[in-house]
mmCIF file of all heavy atoms in Angstrom:
data_model
loop_
_atom_site.group_PDB
_atom_site.id
_atom_site.type_symbol
_atom_site.label_atom_id
_atom_site.label_comp_id
_atom_site.label_asym_id
_atom_site.label_seq_id
_atom_site.Cartn_x
_atom_site.Cartn_y
_atom_site.Cartn_z
ATOM 1 N N TYR A 168 -80.480 25.853 22.085
ATOM 2 C CA TYR A 168 -80.236 24.515 22.622
ATOM 3 C C TYR A 168 -81.521 23.721 22.790
ATOM 4 O O TYR A 168 -81.603 22.792 23.592
ATOM 5 C CB TYR A 168 -79.517 24.616 23.978
ATOM 6 C CG TYR A 168 -78.259 25.440 23.915
ATOM 7 C CD1 TYR A 168 -78.254 26.767 24.376
ATOM 8 C CD2 TYR A 168 -77.086 24.910 23.409
ATOM 9 C CE1 TYR A 168 -77.102 27.532 24.306
ATOM 10 C CE2 TYR A 168 -75.927 25.662 23.353
ATOM 11 C CZ TYR A 168 -75.941 26.969 23.798
ATOM 12 O OH TYR A 168 -74.795 27.716 23.740
ATOM 13 N N VAL A 169 -82.561 24.103 22.071
ATOM 14 C CA VAL A 169 -83.838 23.386 22.164
ATOM 15 C C VAL A 169 -83.680 21.937 21.737
ATOM 16 O O VAL A 169 -84.266 21.022 22.341
ATOM 17 C CB VAL A 169 -84.917 24.113 21.328
ATOM 18 C CG1 VAL A 169 -86.178 23.263 21.233
ATOM 19 C CG2 VAL A 169 -85.228 25.450 21.937
ATOM 20 N N HIS A 170 -82.883 21.709 20.718
ATOM 21 C CA HIS A 170 -82.729 20.340 20.209
ATOM 22 C C HIS A 170 -81.976 19.459 21.197
ATOM 23 O O HIS A 170 -81.962 18.228 21.052
ATOM 24 C CB HIS A 170 -82.001 20.358 18.866
ATOM 25 C CG HIS A 170 -80.600 20.888 18.969
ATOM 26 N ND1 HIS A 170 -80.333 22.237 19.159
ATOM 27 C CD2 HIS A 170 -79.403 20.261 18.907
ATOM 28 C CE1 HIS A 170 -79.018 22.419 19.196
ATOM 29 N NE2 HIS A 170 -78.429 21.238 19.056
ATOM 30 N N LEU A 171 -81.357 20.046 22.230
ATOM 31 C CA LEU A 171 -80.611 19.256 23.206
ATOM 32 C C LEU A 171 -81.392 19.096 24.517
ATOM 33 O O LEU A 171 -81.425 17.992 25.082
ATOM 34 C CB LEU A 171 -79.258 19.925 23.506
ATOM 35 C CG LEU A 171 -78.282 20.021 22.322
ATOM 36 C CD1 LEU A 171 -77.044 20.774 22.723
ATOM 37 C CD2 LEU A 171 -77.906 18.617 21.823
ATOM 38 N N ILE A 172 -81.990 20.158 25.009
ATOM 39 C CA ILE A 172 -82.622 20.095 26.335
ATOM 40 C C ILE A 172 -84.140 20.203 26.268
ATOM 41 O O ILE A 172 -84.816 19.987 27.278
ATOM 42 C CB ILE A 172 -82.089 21.230 27.231
ATOM 43 C CG1 ILE A 172 -82.417 22.604 26.636
ATOM 44 C CG2 ILE A 172 -80.589 21.080 27.432
ATOM 45 C CD1 ILE A 172 -82.014 23.761 27.509
ATOM 46 N N GLY A 173 -84.701 20.545 25.113
ATOM 47 C CA GLY A 173 -86.136 20.674 25.005
ATOM 48 C C GLY A 173 -86.637 21.999 25.544
ATOM 49 O O GLY A 173 -85.872 22.864 25.965
ATOM 50 N N GLN A 174 -87.946 22.160 25.559
ATOM 51 C CA GLN A 174 -88.543 23.409 25.998
ATOM 52 C C GLN A 174 -88.707 23.506 27.509
ATOM 53 O O GLN A 174 -88.555 24.556 28.103
ATOM 54 C CB GLN A 174 -89.921 23.582 25.327
ATOM 55 C CG GLN A 174 -89.862 23.804 23.831
ATOM 56 C CD GLN A 174 -89.373 25.196 23.466
ATOM 57 O OE1 GLN A 174 -89.237 26.047 24.336
ATOM 58 N NE2 GLN A 174 -89.100 25.408 22.191
ATOM 59 N N ASP A 175 -89.057 22.356 28.153
ATOM 60 C CA ASP A 175 -89.414 22.374 29.569
ATOM 61 C C ASP A 175 -88.348 21.794 30.479
ATOM 62 O O ASP A 175 -88.564 21.639 31.682
ATOM 63 C CB ASP A 175 -90.726 21.605 29.801
ATOM 64 C CG ASP A 175 -91.855 22.181 28.972
ATOM 65 O OD1 ASP A 175 -91.828 23.413 28.752
ATOM 66 O OD2 ASP A 175 -92.740 21.419 28.553
ATOM 67 N N ALA A 176 -87.213 21.433 29.918
ATOM 68 C CA ALA A 176 -86.192 20.777 30.754
ATOM 69 C C ALA A 176 -85.663 21.724 31.825
ATOM 70 O O ALA A 176 -85.499 21.356 32.972
ATOM 71 C CB ALA A 176 -85.043 20.293 29.866
ATOM 72 N N ALA A 177 -85.432 22.933 31.447
ATOM 73 C CA ALA A 177 -84.870 23.876 32.419
ATOM 74 C C ALA A 177 -85.873 24.196 33.515
ATOM 75 O O ALA A 177 -85.513 24.338 34.686
ATOM 76 C CB ALA A 177 -84.457 25.159 31.699
ATOM 77 N N LEU A 178 -87.151 24.289 33.175
ATOM 78 C CA LEU A 178 -88.162 24.594 34.185
ATOM 79 C C LEU A 178 -88.328 23.432 35.160
ATOM 80 O O LEU A 178 -88.524 23.636 36.366
ATOM 81 C CB LEU A 178 -89.496 24.900 33.512
ATOM 82 C CG LEU A 178 -89.513 26.162 32.627
ATOM 83 C CD1 LEU A 178 -90.862 26.292 31.924
ATOM 84 C CD2 LEU A 178 -89.229 27.396 33.462
ATOM 85 N N GLU A 179 -88.281 22.192 34.657
ATOM 86 C CA GLU A 179 -88.431 21.052 35.530
ATOM 87 C C GLU A 179 -87.218 20.867 36.435
ATOM 88 O O GLU A 179 -87.322 20.399 37.571
ATOM 89 C CB GLU A 179 -88.647 19.786 34.696
ATOM 90 C CG GLU A 179 -89.985 19.799 33.953
ATOM 91 C CD GLU A 179 -90.140 18.575 33.073
ATOM 92 O OE1 GLU A 179 -89.172 17.782 33.028
ATOM 93 O OE2 GLU A 179 -91.191 18.422 32.438
#
Side-chain angles (χ1 to χ4, degrees):
Y168 306 101
V169 171
H170 63 287
L171 297 176
I172 62 175
Q174 292 286 351
D175 302 328
L178 295 176
E179 293 177 357

